[in-house]
Amino acid sequence: MRRHQLDIQLKTPEQIEKMRAAGLVVAAALAQMRAAVSPGVTTAELDAIAESVIREAGAVPSFKGYHGYPATICSSVNEQVVHAIPSPEQVLREGDLVSLDCGAILDGWHGDAAITVGVGEVRPELLRMAEVAEDAMWAGIAAAARGMLSRRGRLTDISYAVERTVRAAGPYGIVEGYGGHGIGTEMHQDPHVLNHGRPGRGPRLVAGMALAIEPMITMGSPRTVELADGWTVVTRDGSVAAHVEHSMALLEDGVWVLTAPDGGRARLGDLVTAREPARTAAVD
Ligand code: MF3
Ligand code: CO
């Protein structure tokens, strides 16, 4: 049963090209931040790096001012799951695991992505959890591509692929209450993309859809609390969490991972649209 009619914005290939440009700006900001992560760096310094990369590309940070959010990135350390506000007081320490989440608007179109990075030497089980979150994200993207190409796929095939990947990997908590989303001329559009659930439900996966896929998992319980700042989401049991995200679009001939520099080619092979090498060749 459908609670409300979803308002899904389908994009033309030309609009998806614009989203690709925005996605590459986000990818560049994340790459610069990844390179800067080390013990002693503050999350405010990472925020400044992201903002300068975005503005130098002629884009605008999408998080800043979003419902009053005060920064360019969310930097969620250890038991912080998502939406933690960067601060000059928050110094990264050896062994921390940090999710860096970043969004940009270029020419009216949004990109949104996140990476989870270890600071210095990190407990292997935490790095493994971050890898599981990534595997789950790519499984969700692959499910979307296959579902679109077969013309039989539905939205929750993505949710199911994410959940199944995480459950098969170990006893991780899958955070509920947050998830992926449509993306386009706004950062958050219909539909909401759950990170768990039965396949075969929801709208059909069709060319023109653009979605952000963002699993959030924990070393312990999936339960979370929002702190008094109105933003920071932490695990209730204090366990460490990981969060990764890509924005992707479905084209007639395959998926385009808009915030991945290679468009998703390394992880997805032939499921990626033929537009990807064409564009890479043109840019080289
Ligand atoms: N990437 C986050 C998401 O998809 C957005 C951060 S919320 C903000 O929900 F307020 F920081 F913008
Ligand atoms: Co998002």
Side-chain angles (χ1 to χ4, degrees), residues 112 181 188 212 214 245:
D112 181 15
H181 48 90
H188 291 147
E214 47 179 321
E245 174 175 16

